[in-house]
Amino acid sequence: QVQLVESGGGLVQAGGSLRLSCATVGSIYMFYSMAWYRQAPGKQRELVASITSGGSTNYADSVKGRFTISRDNAKNTGYLGYLQMDSLNPDDTAVYYCNADLRLTGVWRNTYWGQGTQVTVSS
């Protein structure tokens, strides 16, 4: 059952920006952490950025200074968080996945994945 939905991917020229969004299908009872991963063709899925419930962030070296992960702290928006991607380059081309450690209302704590959104950066 899909619980996370990514959006905001697309085709952009090198140097451009995109903002990815991660929405939840269920109602959030407790947020523990979320992360963005990406997988390029022929490569393993890799961690791009993560954020904890306390607001601590972590970034892959390849995106530091260019990407910003944030959480949507407003209640009942349906959005869990975002990934702002600036100064994109062709190496950032991949399918981007939202991942979250949550407790949804009426459900035990679990780790959820979205189905991914394609980001393509042209040179």
Side-chain angles (χ1 to χ4, degrees), residues 38-106:
R38 67 186 181 186
Q39 187 166 19
K43 295 186 177 182
Q44 289 189 330
R45 190 173 297 190
E46 63 173 354
L47 176 67
V48 175
S50 63
I51 186 168
T52 67
S53 60
S56 297
T57 57
N58 181 57
Y59 296 92
D61 288 342
S62 59
V63 307
K64 281 181 181 177
R66 300 188 299 121
F67 289 13
T68 303
I69 187 172
S70 62
R71 181 192 164 191
D72 191 322
N73 290 310
K75 292 186 177 180
N76 302 319
T77 64
Y79 285 95
L80 187 62
Y82 310 93
L83 183 68
Q84 176 68 39
M85 305 187 295
D86 299 317
S87 302
L88 286 161
N89 62 64
D91 289 338
D92 296 317
T93 295
V95 177
Y96 284 72
Y97 298 90
C98 179
N99 164 278
D101 183 1
L102 301 171
R103 185 176 174 187
L104 298 177
T105 300

